[in-house]
Each structure stands twice: as structure tokens, then as C-alpha cells.
């Protein structure tokens, strides 16, 4: 059993996770267009992870006996001034998603819905990791500043890091 309020909030989060997947795919396309294949690979991996997050909500809503309602999604941003701006936007987006997960957790606590609280705990922890990962990349960009060889190295590193994540 689940209240309509929690069911709607879970569907809303499902939609946000699907949008995250779409946004990261758009970021991957931006990097492909400027020949930064490592960063594109990293973003594609992020996009796949977000799809899996959305599917966790999908499965959970059904397990509660609720209805999955897919909503319209806005078109994601397609242009950025520089590679660093993409990761800064990614960090802002993850901070927005963290807030949304926390609000959802607040609702589950308010309604004493223990299954939703338990389900959301994984996302609370995951968001700490996601924000930290992107924050580190933004800091790497700060270190290399306008150094083209630094950008090349970072692109290679992010391409390799994607492969590591895939093994987990
Ligand atoms: Fe599923 Fe990166 O939030």
C-alpha cells in the first residue's frame, strides 16, 4: 500500500532520473562533437547509470502496488561554452537531484512509510558519491586551467575511469 502523495512523488523522481539520463547523453554528444571521446564515454556511462536509477523507481512503484506514470520531458541543453562548464552543470544538476531525494525522504518520514524510507536510503548515499565524483572532476579542470595537454590527459583519464566503474 502506498498513498497517492508518495506514489506521485516517486513518479516525479522517476521522471527526474530519466531526464538526468537524457541530459548526460546530451553532454556526451557535446563531447563527441568536439572530439573528447574520454569525456563522452564518461557521460554515456553516467547516462546509463541514471537510466538504471529511473528503473529502480519504476520497479519499486510497481512492488508497492502503485502505478508507473511516465511524464513529458523537457529537451536537455545541447550547447556549452567549454568542457569545464559541462561538469559544473553536472554538479549543479546532482545537487538539485540530492535536494529532490531529500524532500522525498522527508515525505516518507512524515507519512511513516518505512518501505520508501528504506528504498531511498540507497539514493541518499549514492548522491553523496555522485556529487563528490563530479566535484573532483571540476577541481581537476581548475588545476589544468587553459592547458591543452592537461585537457588531453584529463580526457584520457576520464575515459579510463568509466571502464573501472563498469566493472563494479
Ligand atoms: Fe540518479 Fe545522478 O542522480
Amino acid at each position: 500500500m502506498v498513498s497517492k502523495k508518495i506514489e506521485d512523488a516517486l513518479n516525479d523522481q522517476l521522471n527526474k532520473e530519466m531526464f538526468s539520463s537524457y541530459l548526460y547523453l546530451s553532454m556526451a554528444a557535446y563531447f563527441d562533437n568536439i572530439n573528447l571521446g574520454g569525456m563522452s564515454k564518461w557521460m554515456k556511462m553516467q547516462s546509463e547509470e541514471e537510466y538504471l536509477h529511473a528503473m529502480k523507481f519504476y520497479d519499486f512503484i510497481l512492488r508497492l502496488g502503485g502505478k508507473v506514470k511516465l511524464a513529458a520531458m523537457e529537451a536537455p541543453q545541447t550547447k556549452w561554452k567549454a568542457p569545464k562548464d559541462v561538469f559544473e552543470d553536472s554538479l549543479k544538476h546532482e545537487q538539485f537531484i540530492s535536494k529532490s531525494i531529500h524532500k522525498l525522504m522527508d515525505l516518507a518520514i512524515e507519512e511513516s512509510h518505512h518501505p520508501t524510507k528504506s528504498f531511498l536510503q540507497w539514493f541518499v548515499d549514492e548522491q553523496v558519491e555522485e556529487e563528490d565524483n563530479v566535484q573532483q572532476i571540476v577541481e581537476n579542470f581548475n588545476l589544468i586551467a587553459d592547458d591543452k595537454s592537461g585537457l588531453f590527459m584529463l580526457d584520457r583519464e576520464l575515459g579510463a575511469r568509466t571502464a573501472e566503474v563498469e566493472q563494479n
Side-chain angles (χ1 to χ4, degrees), residues 17 20 24 46 50 53 94 97 123 127 130:
E17 300 291 343
S20 302
Y24 288 132
Q46 281 296 105
E50 298 301 350
H53 291 175
E94 287 307 327
I97 292 292
F123 283 92
Q127 282 308 120
E130 294 225 331

Side-chain angles (χ1 to χ4, degrees), residues 88-100:
E88 279 179 342
D89 280 357
S90 165
L91 180 58
K92 278 186 217 148
H93 183 70
E94 287 307 327
Q95 288 163 344
F96 162 74
I97 292 292
S98 295
K99 273 192 196 139
S100 179

Side-chain angles (χ1 to χ4, degrees), residues 21-35:
S21 178
Y22 210 30
L23 175 64
Y24 288 132
L25 193 59
S26 185
M27 289 174 170
Y30 165 82
F31 285 126
D32 272 326
N33 285 332
I34 57 170
N35 297 315

Side-chain angles (χ1 to χ4, degrees), residues 9-134:
L10 289 168
N11 269 300
D12 183 55
Q13 191 63 36
L14 191 169
N15 184 261
K16 285 185 176 123
E17 300 291 343
M18 284 300 285
F19 177 76
S20 302
S21 178
Y22 210 30
L23 175 64
Y24 288 132
L25 193 59
S26 185
M27 289 174 170
Y30 165 82
F31 285 126
D32 272 326
N33 285 332
I34 57 170
N35 297 315
L36 288 170
M39 293 184 192
S40 170
K41 197 175 166 193
W42 195 94
M43 283 297 175
K44 280 178 196 147
M45 183 68 201
Q46 281 296 105
S47 175
E48 283 169 17
E49 272 193 21
E50 298 301 350
Y51 174 75
L52 293 176
H53 291 175
M55 290 309 293
K56 279 180 188 275
F57 279 93
Y58 180 106
D59 291 336
F60 183 64
I61 292 165
L62 292 181
R63 280 207 303 277
L64 291 176
K67 277 206 171 72
V68 167
K69 284 174 232 146
L70 301 181
M73 268 194 296
E74 59 177 295
Q77 185 174 341
T78 54
K79 288 181 190 149
W80 285 268
K81 274 193 195 145
K84 184 188 168 190
D85 296 347
V86 183
F87 283 94
E88 279 179 342
D89 280 357
S90 165
L91 180 58
K92 278 186 217 148
H93 183 70
E94 287 307 327
Q95 288 163 344
F96 162 74
I97 292 292
S98 295
K99 273 192 196 139
S100 179
I101 294 280
H102 296 167
K103 270 181 79 177
L104 193 45
M105 181 65 108
D106 289 344
L107 176 66
I109 291 167
E110 199 183 296
E111 296 208 0
S112 294
H113 199 266
H114 297 280
T116 298
K117 277 161 54 183
S118 174
F119 169 75
L120 288 175
Q121 190 56 53
W122 183 88
F123 283 92
V124 171
D125 299 339
E126 172 74 6
Q127 282 308 120
V128 174
E129 202 175 311
E130 294 225 331
E131 281 191 39
D132 185 47
N133 285 343
V134 188

